[in-house]
């Protein structure tokens, strides 16, 4: 199940009952043996305000070819669409990595990690 009541997960799940997240504050990745492109995704902090999101793309040799960084607001405001179409270097990649860090507690009690809720990712 994609969310826990009383956390930011409930605000970040927009496409149905399921969403992805970077568990235990670790980066999450999409990796392929063939090139792919990403135009964007919905992002919501699970428990922090001001969460910093870093999105990076890599070529077939593992070299970073693009990056985009943004800061999210209060999870209760819902997701932010991170639009990668205008950032360049998110086409023809072999790995997409998403990291989150920082921020301050949004008041969800015991949940105070930098977990990011990812939904409606547009991969082609």
């Amino acid at each position: 199940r994609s969310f826990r009541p009383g956390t930011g997960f409930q605000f970040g799940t927009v496409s149905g009952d399921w969403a992805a997240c970077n568990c235990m504050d670790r980066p999450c990745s999409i990796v392929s043996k063939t090139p792919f492109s990403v135009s964007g995704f919905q992002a919501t902090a699970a428990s922090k305000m001001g969460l910093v999101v870093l999105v990076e793309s890599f070529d077939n040799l593992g070299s970073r070819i693009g990056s985009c960084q943004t800061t999210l607001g209060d999870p209760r405001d819902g997701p932010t669409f991170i639009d990668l179409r205008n950032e360049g270097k998110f086409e023809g990649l072999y790995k997409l990595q998403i990291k989150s860090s920082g921020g301050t507690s949004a008041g969800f009690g015991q949940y105070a990690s930098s977990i990011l809720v990812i939904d409606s990712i547009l991969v082609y």
Side-chain angles (χ1 to χ4, degrees), residues 52-67:
V52 177
V53 178
L54 176 63
V55 185
E56 297 174 300
S57 60
F58 298 86
D59 64 16
N60 60 330
L61 300 175
S63 298
R64 187 174 76 171
I65 56 173
S67 68

Side-chain angles (χ1 to χ4, degrees), residues 55-122:
V55 185
E56 297 174 300
S57 60
F58 298 86
D59 64 16
N60 60 330
L61 300 175
S63 298
R64 187 174 76 171
I65 56 173
S67 68
C68 172
Q69 183 172 304
T70 192
T71 302
L72 303 178
D74 189 317
R76 288 172 279 267
D77 293 338
T80 297
F81 183 71
I82 297 180
D83 190 348
L84 300 172
R85 293 172 291 185
N86 297 324
E87 298 298 326
K89 305 295 184 188
F90 287 93
E91 294 182 343
L93 55 137
Y94 287 78
K95 178 181 177 181
L96 179 80
Q97 183 168 272
I98 304 170
K99 300 176 186 178
S100 59
S101 62
T104 59
S105 175
F108 293 122
Q110 67 184 10
Y111 303 102
S113 68
S114 298
I115 295 174
L116 176 69
V117 182
I118 301 165
D119 204 349
S120 299
I121 190 165
L122 304 171

